Amino acid sequence: MTPLDRHLTALAGAPTDRDLSGLEREVWRVIDARPALSTRRLRPIQWAAVSAALVMGAVTGTFAMTAFDRPSEMSVFSAHSPLAPSTLLADHA
């Protein structure tokens, strides 16, 4: 048996120093006593977060799309690849 097992066994057999039977009830009483944070106060923060995410997504998408304007010559799976067999064969036909 490891020292940790011995300590846990001793701890399991030790009596508690206070009654824990009403602990959950007391925790919920304290939570219910706190004032609820109204959603009206959070509304501007929510709108700001959604607006920031929308602007950030639009800007990121715009910059990402500029990279897809022209396919690279090495893009094997591109629909308009200059090195695709269909493109190379069409020029010689």
Side-chain angles (χ1 to χ4, degrees), residues 51-90:
S51 299
L54 184 64
V55 168
M56 195 173 241
V59 169
T60 304
T62 301
F63 285 127
M65 288 306 293
T66 59
F68 294 115
D69 286 344
R70 289 173 297 178
S72 170
E73 289 187 15
M74 298 306 292
S75 297
V76 180
F77 298 109
S78 173
H80 303 290
S81 176
L83 298 177
S86 58
T87 306
L88 295 174
L89 292 173

Side-chain angles (χ1 to χ4, degrees), residues 21-24 26-27 29 41 52-53 72 77 82 89 91:
S21 62
L23 179 65
E24 183 178 3
E26 182 65 21
V27 168
R29 188 189 64 76
R41 288 188 358 203
S72 170
F77 298 109
L89 292 173
D91 290 339

